[in-house]
Amino acid sequence: MTASLPMYNAPGMRAANTAFWTALSGLLREAGLDGVPESLSFERPPVPDVIGDEVLFTQVCGYPLQTVYQGQYRLLARPCYDAAGCTGSTHSAFLVARKSSPARRVADLRGQRFALNSLHSNSGMNLPRRMLAEVAGGKPFFGEVLETGGHGASMRLVAEGGADCASIDCLTYAFSQDHQPELVEELRVIAQTPSSPTLPFVTSARTDDATVAVLQRCLYRMSAEPRLASVLSGLRISRIEPAPRAEYSALLDHARRAAELGYPVLA
């Protein structure tokens, strides 16, 4: 079995992610779960091709759960974060440009080059598509869309002038402020997207009911134990709570509304 935390894994965060897994895996073993991975897999990409049968624990973007990962996962829980752009169990994305950009509002970005982390991303594609649908007028909005493979790469491309703007998960932005402040200093927030549920923790669809119950119980225990508060705060997690499936299914509502407004594809 494998375990990973690929969504928020910027340079400088390995120690915090490792501390989280050390605490959780210890609780899982204490609860009698066999085969718990000793360490996290740091090679897993943020948007893998599949959620394989070997996955005991990982964190996944909410939008592809409704599209490319259908039938491949079981929801475990979701974290609530302490960061700008987060409210309760929701988060959003920031539309950013270079600090020197003359753009002051979304409409000012028309015709510019947009850095896209992934076509399957909620914060990088789905949420900004919904926001842009209001101003695109049923026509392509950007002059060019450049796929980068990750939020960090999108931020660097904008900072270095290879693109003009990008939509960045607010947690990625916060963690970059913590660990790569020199990168964020080159950027400026233009707008905040609509909100959506935070990125959930999941396990493979093949994980049995008893194991799912242990995973959930231990995640909630992490959230409740004062001795682990510093482990959670290292990842800006204030608490861990249930992840209702219906709230993640509602992410498709953003896609449907954008299509109704004549903007089905971010372009």
Side-chain angles (χ1 to χ4, degrees):
M1 293 186 288
T2 65
S4 60
L5 285 168
M7 301 310 301
Y8 303 122
N9 191 28
M13 292 187 64
R14 180 167 291 204
N17 280 320
T18 297
F20 180 95
W21 181 246
T22 298
L24 179 57
S25 62
L27 294 177
L28 294 172
R29 293 188 189 95
E30 183 182 316
L33 192 62
D34 295 326
V36 177
E38 290 291 332
S39 59
L40 292 172
S41 172
F42 285 100
E43 294 74 32
R44 187 176 179 86
V47 186
D49 293 334
V50 297
I51 300 175
D53 295 347
E54 78 286 353
V55 174
L56 175 68
F57 179 83
T58 193
Q59 188 176 25
V60 181
C61 179
Y63 184 69
L65 291 181
Q66 313 310 314
T67 56
V68 295
Y69 298 147
Q70 279 283 7
Q72 299 178 18
Y73 68 93
R74 299 186 69 175
L75 287 171
L76 295 174
R78 64 183 175 193
C80 298
Y81 290 102
D82 179 13
C86 296
T87 301
S89 57
T90 69
H91 76 135
S92 59
F94 296 141
L95 201 60
V96 303
R98 280 188 304 284
K99 184 179 291 185
S100 60
S101 170
R104 290 294 181 270
R105 56 196 180 98
V106 174
D108 296 337
L109 300 174
R110 187 183 296 274
Q112 296 194 356
R113 298 165 299 170
F114 181 82
L116 171 66
N117 63 318
S118 169
L119 290 169
H120 301 298
S121 173
N122 184 50
S123 55
M125 185 283 293
N126 188 43
L127 296 181
R129 175 178 59 183
R130 174 65 187 89
M131 180 172 64
L132 292 166
E134 299 288 343
V135 297
K139 301 176 182 178
F141 183 81
F142 295 115
E144 186 177 8
V145 174
L146 307 168
E147 192 165 358
T148 66
H151 279 307
S154 295
M155 294 172 71
R156 285 191 295 275
L157 194 64
V158 173
E160 294 169 359
D164 301 302
C165 54
S167 182
I168 307 299
D169 181 307
C170 67
L171 268 305
T172 299
Y173 198 81
F175 288 130
S176 296
Q177 289 176 314
D178 293 341
H179 301 285
Q180 296 175 289
E182 71 285 352
L183 177 59
V184 178
E185 286 172 2
E186 298 299 320
L187 305 175
R188 179 163 50 80
V189 175
I190 300 294
Q192 182 174 328
T193 70
S195 63
S196 65
T198 56
L199 281 61
F201 299 126
V202 306
T203 186
S204 164
R206 293 294 185 90
T207 304
D208 61 76
D209 291 347
T211 300
V212 168
V214 172
L215 285 162
Q216 291 175 325
R217 187 163 63 249
C218 290
L219 283 166
Y220 301 148
R221 183 178 169 189
M222 279 192 74
S223 184
E225 291 207 8
R227 68 182 178 89
L228 298 179
S230 62
V231 173
L232 296 184
S233 65
L235 292 176
R236 289 179 168 265
I237 297 174
S238 57
R239 66 182 185 278
I240 298 172
E241 63 178 34
R245 181 175 292 273
E247 293 189 18
Y248 290 92
S249 299
L251 291 178
L252 293 177
D253 292 342
H254 289 310
R256 284 189 283 266
R257 181 56 181 156
E260 289 171 358
L261 292 171
Y263 194 69
V265 177
L266 192 149

